[in-house]
């Protein structure tokens, strides 16, 4: 039942049916109020400058947009970089240093799946999770980092930063609860728009494929994977950031007769300890050189 409502909600926000559109219109007064509160919050906030340049990669809507691979590709281009994120889905509180420059210091339960993916993907990058992003930024600076990449930081208006915003295509342009927008690109708020096929492109390679794979994933809007999928015997979706159990994964393999679980890299950091038969959708990203130059120029200017 829970999976049904997750699927229904994602369809409502991004591909609404006629009935869902009617519900969306009925909720417009609440959306107007939500948008007004978000705008007033933005207008009442004065950005604070930190002694370290900050680059945010975010999106205006709820759900997945591909922030993680963009952050990875940018962070690997800097020698002393740090990534600060909230750590959605983690079973810890407060600030946790997931990884210093060389060593992973906690497990995925404490870090959350996205932070652990960063820790494994980037050999020389510090990774910090903190509900209070300012605290994570200050910690990164104290550890000798020279640039911070803020995962999902557009709405952190109190932080002076370069905002990179990934555009997510949707016919539903309303704010919550009528649509998927957490915020709009407010007047006076500068941001660089990233668009797939223009600013960046993706390529997916299947590592260790087998003849009978079942897709198992716990990411937001899993239909985003469809253009990159090989033939699979079934697709099994869990809620975003779900922590798998070995029993439920073994049950899927037994029920479907699959020879391996096909998972994303984000799922893999939670599944690897179970020693099951796994195939991985390995994502590589190519960034536009103009974007890379823009980020480097911003960071170097802020450092001088």
């Amino acid at each position: 039942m829970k999976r049904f409502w997750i699927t229904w909600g994602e369809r409502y926000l991004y591909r609404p049916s006629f009935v869902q559109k009617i519900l969306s219109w009925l909720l417009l007064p609440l959306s107007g109020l939500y948008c007004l509160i978000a705008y007033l919050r933005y207008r009442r906030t004065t950005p604070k400058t930190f002694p370290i340049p900050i680059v945010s990669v975010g999106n205006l809507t709820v759900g997945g947009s591909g922030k993680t691979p963009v952050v990875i590709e940018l962070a690997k281009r800097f020698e002393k970089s740090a990534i600060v994120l909230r750590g959605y889905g983690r079973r810890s509180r407060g600030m946790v240093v997931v990884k210093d420059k060389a060593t992973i210091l906690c497990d995925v339960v404490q870090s959350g799946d996205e932070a652990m993916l960063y820790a494994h993907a980037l050999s020389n990058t510090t990774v910090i999770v903190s509900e209070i992003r300012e605290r994570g930024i200050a910690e990164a600076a104290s550890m000798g980092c020279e640039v911070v990449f803020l995962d999902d930081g557009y709405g952190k208006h109190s932080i002076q930063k370069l905002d990179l915003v990934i555009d997510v295509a949707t016919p539903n342009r309303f704010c919550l609860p009528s649509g998927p927008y957490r915020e709009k690109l407010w007047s006076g708020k500068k941001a660089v728009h990233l668009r797939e096929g223009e600013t960046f492109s993706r390529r997916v390679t299947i590592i260790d494929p087998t003849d009978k794979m079942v897709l198992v994933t716990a990411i937001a809007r899993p239909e985003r994977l469809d253009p990159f999928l090989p033939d699979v015997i079934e697709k099994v979706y869990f809620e975003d950031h779900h922590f798998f159990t070995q029993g439920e994964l073994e049950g899927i393999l037994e029920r479907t007769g699959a020879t391996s679980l096909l998972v994303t890299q984000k799922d893999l950091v939670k599944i690897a300890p179970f020693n099951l038969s796994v195939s991985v959708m390995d994502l590589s990203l190519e960034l536009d050189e103009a974007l890379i130059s823009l980020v480097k120029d911003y960071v170097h200017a802020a450092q001088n």
Side-chain angles (χ1 to χ4, degrees):
M1 180 61 69
K2 189 174 185 179
R3 295 181 198 173
F4 168 81
W5 286 113
I6 291 169
T7 302
W8 188 94
E10 289 177 343
R11 187 179 301 117
Y12 164 75
L13 293 176
Y14 288 96
R15 305 182 314 280
S17 66
F18 179 72
V19 172
Q20 288 173 326
K21 286 180 181 178
I22 292 176
L23 175 60
S24 177
W25 295 331
L26 291 174
L27 292 173
L28 276 177
L30 289 177
S31 290
L33 178 61
Y34 175 94
C35 246
L36 176 62
I37 292 171
Y39 176 71
L40 292 176
R41 171 178 165 270
Y42 158 67
R43 293 294 298 174
R44 293 176 60 187
T45 302
T46 301
K48 175 185 175 182
T49 301
F50 288 79
I52 183 172
I54 301 165
V55 178
S56 166
V57 180
N59 57 291
L60 304 177
T61 58
V62 297
S65 64
K67 297 184 299 293
T68 304
V70 173
V71 172
I72 289 172
E73 287 301 315
L74 289 172
K76 68 172 56 172
R77 288 171 164 81
F78 294 86
E79 184 65 27
K80 296 181 180 180
S81 62
I83 297 172
V84 175
L85 64 161
R86 186 188 187 282
Y88 285 104
R90 64 185 171 117
R91 295 173 184 172
S92 64
R93 298 178 63 84
M95 186 184 71
V96 177
V97 178
V98 177
K99 176 179 171 289
D100 60 18
K101 189 171 181 180
T103 307
I104 295 176
L105 303 173
C106 66
D107 62 21
V108 69
V109 174
Q110 294 174 290
S111 69
D113 48 13
E114 290 173 340
M116 189 56 66
L117 174 54
Y118 286 134
H120 282 285
L122 294 161
S123 59
N124 294 315
T125 297
T126 298
V127 181
I128 299 171
V129 293
S130 178
E131 294 92 346
I132 302 173
R133 307 303 199 283
E134 291 87 346
R135 186 180 175 194
I137 294 166
E139 182 68 15
S142 72
M143 294 173 69
C145 299
E146 296 181 352
V147 57
V148 166
F149 289 93
L150 204 58
D151 179 302
D152 196 19
Y154 173 80
K156 304 302 174 185
H157 304 301
S158 61
I159 300 171
Q160 183 66 46
K161 60 192 183 299
L162 171 64
D163 274 301
L164 309 180
V165 176
I166 299 176
D167 286 340
V168 178
T170 171
N172 190 340
R173 307 299 293 179
F174 299 132
C175 283
L176 293 166
S178 291
Y181 281 82
R182 297 178 292 179
E183 297 202 38
K184 293 291 188 174
L185 187 60
W186 307 121
S187 175
K189 178 82 170 180
K190 295 181 180 179
V192 178
H193 287 257
L194 310 186
R195 296 178 177 88
E196 186 167 359
E198 298 178 19
T199 321
F200 64 93
S201 58
R202 309 172 194 260
R203 184 173 67 250
V204 173
T205 303
I206 309 300
I207 299 175
D208 296 327
T210 64
D211 292 336
K212 296 173 66 178
M213 296 181 290
V214 54
L215 174 68
V216 178
T217 189
I219 65 170
R221 299 199 300 122
E223 72 279 357
R224 294 180 291 143
L225 300 176
D226 287 348
F228 308 105
L229 279 181
D231 289 333
V232 294
I233 58 176
E234 191 175 322
K235 302 174 185 177
V236 182
Y237 299 146
F238 291 85
E239 64 181 302
D240 195 17
H241 305 293
H242 173 76
F243 276 91
F244 305 100
T245 67
Q246 185 163 351
E248 67 189 357
L249 296 175
E250 289 174 342
I252 291 170
L253 286 170
E254 182 177 353
R255 177 180 59 79
T256 61
T259 49
S260 68
L261 304 168
L262 179 61
V263 301
T264 68
Q265 294 159 311
K266 178 179 167 182
D267 301 309
L268 181 63
V269 296
K270 296 176 289 187
I271 290 175
F274 300 149
N275 197 30
L276 299 173
S277 177
V278 172
S279 305
V280 182
M281 299 183 71
D282 184 45
L283 171 66
S284 60
L285 207 70
E286 184 175 344
L287 298 179
D288 182 66
E289 288 298 326
L291 172 64
I292 297 170
S293 296
L294 184 150
V295 173
K296 286 184 175 179
D297 288 348
Y298 176 85
V299 170
H300 294 155
Q303 290 173 336
N304 296 326

